[in-house]
Amino acid sequence: PDPPVQVVRTETGSGEENAVEDHPLTAAFQRPNPYYSADCLWQRVTFDRSLYGNAYLYKTRNGAGEVIELYHVPQHRLTPQFDTSGRTFVTGYLFTIEQHQQLIPVEDLVHFRFGGAVTNERVGMALLGAGLREIATLNEAANYRGAILKNMGVPSHLVQAKDPQRPITGEQARALQALWAERVSGGNRGKPIIPNYPLEALKIGLSPAELDLGEMTYEASDLVASLFGLSSQVVGLASGSATKTYANYRESREAATENALVPAWKQMGQDLTLQLLPDYSDDDSERVEFDTSKVRGLQEDENDLWARLDQAVKTGWITPNEARAFVDLAEIDGGDELKQAQPPGGGGNGF
């Protein structure tokens, strides 16, 4: 799930930034509507934005015009509208479902975009569009493997009479074709084929192993994953299994968080600040962001943190109590004094 949404306020004078407790916008995302959870809402938003470049939230208002519920609207149901003068970027969104159409005001929607489409700057860019050839390659490989498995793992063959002086007749060819299809596919796969005249079968197709479909599709898989800032390893694709170890898998997961998720969360927070926060607050010192403080992929490894703090105490850079504060430990007596630098390999824990 995505990290929780929070509102941060920049304090006047000091410039200090603090999360606003019990902000109404934060509360709105704890239970966006009576029908599905916040996690489900963000799954839908993330799916649409990632694949199609656009995602929408619809604001339900009460009689006083206050936002009381938030709903995801599938991106294919909305089309941005604009006047030909170009004075207004978007005048509204045309909502279409079956034969019904309705114009939704701009202020009743939150529009998450990924960049801008080349042909229409009012909508986002679909990342998958850059990888359609690779996706088609993967689909064709999957279809071929499926067809081979359906045929008992037998690729295409040319069946002909063993004696060229006695060719099979058209009727025999049709009967043989039906018998072959029956024995290598469907529920009768594996049953023997026993013709009553000498034949030979020449293989004219290649098996998946001979084609090396795995290696052939690795590059396509890697490219599709990279469109989203991900590696094949972190997605779990077979192309990443050859180099997969715990250490580089952890690094890949951290890179995926930093390269793909963090930029998305940052931009979506800016979209919420611009398009939703004004419905709950008119304080210009506030902004919306995702609280990433507990995202595992952004946390320093505990062993690395303790080793670094221990070394800093031993070399006299920080006091034991300063080190303990980093890991939420209570202060100790005498812990405010810097230690004398110890030689390499000096014994004991610094704090």
Side-chain angles (χ1 to χ4, degrees):
D2 288 284
V5 169
Q6 66 178 2
V7 176
V8 175
R9 179 183 296 130
T10 303
E11 303 299 337
T12 305
S14 67
E16 184 179 351
E17 297 181 341
N18 297 302
V20 181
E21 299 292 336
D22 302 322
H23 196 282
L25 184 145
T26 305
F29 281 104
Q30 292 175 354
R31 183 169 179 173
N33 61 67
Y35 302 101
Y36 48 81
S37 66
D39 281 353
C40 182
L41 180 80
W42 287 120
Q43 286 168 356
R44 298 179 180 203
V45 168
T46 301
F47 180 87
D48 273 4
R49 183 183 177 277
S50 298
L51 266 64
Y52 305 109
N54 299 281
Y56 297 93
L57 290 181
Y58 177 72
K59 311 171 190 176
T60 299
R61 302 181 186 273
N62 60 18
E66 300 169 330
V67 177
I68 55 174
E69 293 173 354
L70 296 170
Y71 291 88
H72 164 261
V73 182
Q75 56 82 31
H76 65 276
R77 299 200 184 280
L78 291 166
T79 306
Q81 305 296 297
F82 57 95
D83 59 49
T84 54
S85 68
R87 286 190 291 267
T88 304
F89 188 65
V90 176
T91 58
Y93 291 84
L94 186 64
F95 174 77
T96 303
I97 180 168
E98 296 180 352
Q99 303 301 315
H100 175 72
Q101 289 188 325
Q102 176 185 347
L103 187 65
I104 299 179
V106 174
E107 58 270 19
D108 285 345
L109 286 170
V110 177
H111 185 179
F112 300 101
R113 299 174 179 86
F114 179 83
V118 176
T119 56
N120 184 358
E121 65 273 19
R122 292 167 179 82
V123 297
M125 177 176 62
L127 289 174
L128 280 183
L132 292 180
R133 184 184 297 274
E134 285 70 24
I135 294 170
T137 299
L138 295 172
N139 287 337
E140 285 297 324
N143 289 337
Y144 186 78
R145 281 193 293 260
I148 291 293
L149 290 174
K150 186 177 180 181
N151 292 333
M152 199 181 66
V154 179
S156 298
H157 280 71
L158 172 66
V159 181
Q160 62 183 13
K162 198 173 183 88
D163 184 356
Q165 302 300 321
R166 299 178 58 188
I168 60 177
T169 65
E171 182 179 352
Q172 289 174 325
R174 287 188 290 272
L176 181 59
Q177 181 182 21
L179 179 63
W180 183 279
E182 179 185 349
R183 291 296 190 266
V184 301
S185 63
N188 292 321
R189 282 180 292 182
K191 291 186 177 180
I193 301 174
I194 307 175
N196 55 8
Y197 38 87
L199 297 171
E200 64 176 349
L202 305 176
K203 189 176 68 170
I204 59 174
L206 298 177
S207 69
E210 292 168 326
L211 279 174
D212 200 6
L213 285 181
E215 292 287 347
M216 186 183 297
T217 58
Y218 282 175
E219 184 177 351
S221 301
D222 291 344
L223 189 142
V224 172
S226 69
L227 290 175
F228 300 95
L230 306 172
S231 70
S232 56
Q233 203 179 95
V234 77
V235 177
L237 298 175
S239 56
S241 60
T243 58
K244 185 174 181 179
T245 65
Y246 176 78
N248 56 25
Y249 174 72
R250 186 183 68 182
E251 292 173 358
S252 295
R253 189 173 64 176
E254 292 172 354
T257 303
E258 295 174 355
N259 297 337
L261 297 179
V262 170
W265 291 330
K266 181 179 179 181
Q267 184 182 348
M268 291 166 68
Q270 293 170 350
D271 291 333
L272 291 171
T273 300
L274 180 65
Q275 302 176 59
L276 185 60
L277 184 58
D279 288 294
Y280 295 95
S281 172
D282 57 3
D283 190 340
D284 292 336
S285 67
E286 294 180 349
R287 72 174 189 277
V288 183
E289 64 179 31
F290 287 82
D291 181 9
T292 60
S293 61
K294 296 183 180 180
V295 174
R296 178 66 185 89
L298 298 176
Q299 306 306 308
E300 183 177 14
D301 184 81
E302 286 292 316
N303 291 334
D304 294 340
L305 174 62
W306 281 75
R308 188 163 56 86
L309 291 174
D310 189 47
Q311 185 65 20
V313 171
K314 289 178 180 179
T315 54
W317 281 97
I318 61 176
T319 67
N321 280 341
E322 288 172 330
R324 294 173 68 86
F326 269 103
V327 289
D328 298 324
L329 293 177
E331 294 185 353
I332 58 174
D333 293 338
D336 293 322
E337 300 293 330
L338 289 173
K339 289 182 176 287
Q340 292 293 327
Q342 297 182 16
N349 185 290
F351 59 104

